[in-house]
Short mmCIF file of all heavy atoms in Angstrom, two decimals:
data_model
loop_
_atom_site.label_atom_id
_atom_site.label_comp_id
_atom_site.label_asym_id
_atom_site.label_seq_id
_atom_site.Cartn_x
_atom_site.Cartn_y
_atom_site.Cartn_z
N GLU A 29 12.13 -54.97 -66.99
CA GLU A 29 12.68 -56.29 -66.90
C GLU A 29 12.80 -56.90 -68.30
O GLU A 29 13.93 -57.57 -68.59
CB GLU A 29 11.79 -57.22 -66.09
CG GLU A 29 12.16 -58.60 -65.92
CD GLU A 29 13.37 -58.98 -65.23
OE1 GLU A 29 13.95 -57.99 -64.65
OE2 GLU A 29 13.75 -60.12 -65.27
N MET A 30 11.90 -56.72 -69.26
CA MET A 30 12.06 -57.28 -70.49
C MET A 30 13.08 -56.66 -71.36
O MET A 30 13.84 -57.26 -72.07
CB MET A 30 10.69 -57.05 -71.23
CG MET A 30 9.49 -57.79 -70.70
SD MET A 30 7.91 -57.60 -71.51
CE MET A 30 8.28 -58.09 -73.15
N PHE A 31 13.24 -55.31 -71.13
CA PHE A 31 14.44 -54.65 -71.80
C PHE A 31 15.76 -55.16 -71.34
O PHE A 31 16.68 -55.39 -72.18
CB PHE A 31 14.39 -53.14 -71.49
CG PHE A 31 15.55 -52.35 -72.01
CD1 PHE A 31 15.65 -52.03 -73.30
CD2 PHE A 31 16.49 -51.97 -71.15
CE1 PHE A 31 16.84 -51.38 -73.77
CE2 PHE A 31 17.66 -51.24 -71.54
CZ PHE A 31 17.78 -51.00 -72.92
N ILE A 32 15.90 -55.35 -70.04
CA ILE A 32 17.17 -55.93 -69.53
C ILE A 32 17.52 -57.36 -70.06
O ILE A 32 18.57 -57.72 -70.46
CB ILE A 32 17.25 -55.87 -67.94
CG1 ILE A 32 17.23 -54.44 -67.46
CG2 ILE A 32 18.39 -56.53 -67.44
CD1 ILE A 32 17.04 -54.25 -65.96
N VAL A 33 16.46 -58.15 -69.96
CA VAL A 33 16.63 -59.54 -70.38
C VAL A 33 16.80 -59.56 -71.93
O VAL A 33 17.73 -60.42 -72.39
CB VAL A 33 15.42 -60.38 -69.93
CG1 VAL A 33 15.53 -61.84 -70.58
CG2 VAL A 33 15.30 -60.44 -68.48
N CYS A 34 16.13 -58.90 -72.74
CA CYS A 34 16.30 -58.88 -74.13
C CYS A 34 17.64 -58.35 -74.53
O CYS A 34 18.22 -58.76 -75.44
CB CYS A 34 15.14 -58.07 -74.84
SG CYS A 34 13.52 -58.80 -74.76
N ASN A 35 18.16 -57.32 -73.76
CA ASN A 35 19.57 -56.82 -73.98
C ASN A 35 20.51 -57.90 -73.67
O ASN A 35 21.58 -58.12 -74.34
CB ASN A 35 19.79 -55.62 -73.14
CG ASN A 35 21.02 -54.95 -73.45
OD1 ASN A 35 21.38 -54.59 -74.63
ND2 ASN A 35 21.97 -54.82 -72.48
N GLY A 36 20.24 -58.79 -72.72
CA GLY A 36 21.08 -59.91 -72.45
C GLY A 36 21.12 -60.98 -73.61
O GLY A 36 22.12 -61.42 -73.89
N CYS A 37 19.96 -61.10 -74.19
CA CYS A 37 19.81 -62.04 -75.28
C CYS A 37 20.67 -61.48 -76.46
O CYS A 37 21.30 -62.29 -77.23
CB CYS A 37 18.32 -62.14 -75.69
SG CYS A 37 17.34 -62.90 -74.54
N ARG A 38 20.62 -60.19 -76.62
CA ARG A 38 21.45 -59.54 -77.68
C ARG A 38 22.87 -59.76 -77.49
O ARG A 38 23.65 -60.10 -78.49
CB ARG A 38 21.04 -58.09 -77.83
CG ARG A 38 21.78 -57.37 -78.97
CD ARG A 38 21.49 -55.94 -78.96
NE ARG A 38 22.03 -55.29 -77.87
CZ ARG A 38 23.26 -54.83 -77.65
NH1 ARG A 38 24.14 -54.97 -78.67
NH2 ARG A 38 23.56 -54.33 -76.52
N GLN A 39 23.30 -59.62 -76.25
CA GLN A 39 24.68 -60.04 -75.96
C GLN A 39 25.16 -61.37 -76.27
O GLN A 39 26.23 -61.55 -76.69
CB GLN A 39 24.94 -59.56 -74.45
CG GLN A 39 24.98 -58.13 -74.16
CD GLN A 39 25.28 -57.87 -72.67
OE1 GLN A 39 26.05 -58.50 -72.08
NE2 GLN A 39 24.60 -56.86 -72.04
N ALA A 40 24.29 -62.26 -75.87
CA ALA A 40 24.46 -63.69 -76.10
C ALA A 40 24.68 -63.98 -77.60
O ALA A 40 25.57 -64.68 -77.99
CB ALA A 40 23.39 -64.45 -75.41
N VAL A 41 23.96 -63.30 -78.44
CA VAL A 41 23.95 -63.47 -79.91
C VAL A 41 25.25 -62.91 -80.40
O VAL A 41 25.93 -63.45 -81.24
CB VAL A 41 22.77 -62.98 -80.64
CG1 VAL A 41 22.96 -62.84 -82.08
CG2 VAL A 41 21.53 -63.61 -80.16
N MET A 42 25.55 -61.74 -79.86
CA MET A 42 26.77 -61.06 -80.44
C MET A 42 28.08 -61.73 -80.06
O MET A 42 28.99 -61.83 -80.69
CB MET A 42 26.89 -59.64 -79.82
CG MET A 42 25.81 -58.72 -80.45
SD MET A 42 25.87 -57.07 -79.65
CE MET A 42 27.52 -56.56 -80.16
N ASP A 43 28.06 -62.38 -78.81
CA ASP A 43 29.23 -63.19 -78.33
C ASP A 43 29.31 -64.52 -78.96
O ASP A 43 30.45 -65.16 -78.95
CB ASP A 43 29.24 -63.29 -76.80
CG ASP A 43 29.45 -62.00 -76.17
OD1 ASP A 43 29.94 -61.03 -76.71
OD2 ASP A 43 29.20 -61.85 -74.92
N ALA A 44 28.28 -64.98 -79.57
CA ALA A 44 28.17 -66.23 -80.34
C ALA A 44 28.80 -67.49 -79.49
O ALA A 44 29.63 -68.22 -80.11
CB ALA A 44 28.99 -66.11 -81.65
#
Side-chain angles (χ1 to χ4, degrees):
E29 173 71 4
M30 292 177 66
F31 172 78
I32 293 174
V33 174
C34 288
N35 187 57
C37 294
R38 184 183 63 83
Q39 291 183 32
V41 172
M42 292 177 62
D43 290 345

